[in-house]
Amino acid sequence: LPLHIFKYVWERTPLDAILSYCRYTLFDNSLNDLLDDMQNVRPIASLFIINAAPLSMGLLTQKGAAEWHPASAEVHAACRKAAEYCNVHGLDLASLALKFAISNQRIHCTLVGMGSREELTDNVRAISTEIDEAHLNAIHKGAVARTCVGDDHFVVKDLNLRVLLGHAGTGQLNVAIRRSPQENGVFGER
């Protein structure tokens, strides 16, 4: 859905949750702007906000997106430039992008799709490792192009995040990263 639909509905009736796709990433912060607009209508404290596709369907990875990806040539170029920056500095673009996506305290859950256990391991490592803010800012400033949860889960203790895993029979892992301030420790780790 276009983001303005959420504000249109919010002006008319309260919502329990919104799911936004590719709208809080290193190159698109429009979800943040929407939340500001919605807050001006009424408090959003009770609204559960889900940010899906923080890697922008592969754009924010070292490999890059598939040819069919709908982003503009300008966005593709900016993301390639960000990947080159990461290569030069020994960083992983996906890790930086994921770290950026989970940094917004107003977003309660970040939903990430992965195609392998290796990607899962890399993403859990990314959210549980400190990343140099200078590199994150360099990528973000350079890349800005415009101003199935299953029953497997565990908490990454240091960040108080709940990571929920599922595959819905597709073979693709879907991971929801949710802030869980009331929970500490690891439970049900697999």
Side-chain angles (χ1 to χ4, degrees):
L1 288 174
L3 289 181
H4 71 274
I5 298 297
F6 292 122
K7 185 176 179 225
Y8 175 85
V9 173
W10 187 248
E11 289 170 342
R12 287 151 181 80
T13 187
L15 298 170
D16 293 323
I18 62 171
L19 172 85
S20 175
Y21 195 81
C22 295
R23 297 303 186 144
Y24 192 75
T25 69
L26 285 173
F27 70 85
D28 184 338
N29 299 172
S30 54
L31 177 58
N32 212 33
D33 297 336
L34 170 72
L35 297 177
D36 290 342
D37 290 345
M38 290 173 70
Q39 181 68 37
N40 290 334
V41 174
R42 84 166 128 283
I44 61 169
S46 64
L47 182 63
F48 190 79
I49 300 154
I50 305 166
N51 177 38
L55 306 182
S56 297
M57 302 183 305
L59 271 175
L60 294 169
T61 65
Q62 296 303 116
K63 181 180 171 184
E67 285 185 36
W68 55 260
H69 195 288
S72 69
E74 179 185 35
V75 170
H76 277 275
C79 292
R80 280 192 303 276
K81 186 175 179 182
E84 290 167 10
Y85 175 93
C86 287
N87 281 334
V88 167
H89 291 89
L91 303 168
D92 179 63
L93 179 56
S95 294
L96 287 170
L98 187 54
K99 193 70 167 187
F100 174 82
I102 66 170
S103 69
N104 188 324
Q105 296 295 312
R106 298 192 302 177
I107 297 172
H108 302 100
C109 180
T110 299
L111 183 62
V112 185
M114 289 163 260
S116 69
R117 288 185 185 270
E118 182 181 347
E119 288 178 2
L120 170 63
T121 301
D122 291 345
N123 287 341
V124 169
R125 186 177 306 115
I127 63 171
S128 59
T129 304
E130 289 299 317
I131 294 178
D132 185 334
E133 292 293 321
H135 288 303
L136 186 60
N137 289 333
I139 294 291
H140 182 234
K141 301 292 185 224
V144 171
R146 58 177 187 206
T147 308
C148 332
V149 178
D151 59 355
D152 297 329
H153 57 277
F154 59 92
V155 167
V156 180
K157 184 176 182 179
D158 294 339
L159 293 179
N160 271 338
L161 299 172
R162 180 184 297 173
V163 180
L164 304 165
L165 315 173
H167 60 79
T170 64
Q172 169 140 348
L173 293 172
N174 292 299
V175 176
I177 302 168
R178 179 178 175 194
R179 296 190 186 289
S180 52
Q182 72 282 4
E183 298 179 40
N184 290 305
V186 176
F187 61 95
E189 184 171 346
R190 293 185 184 193

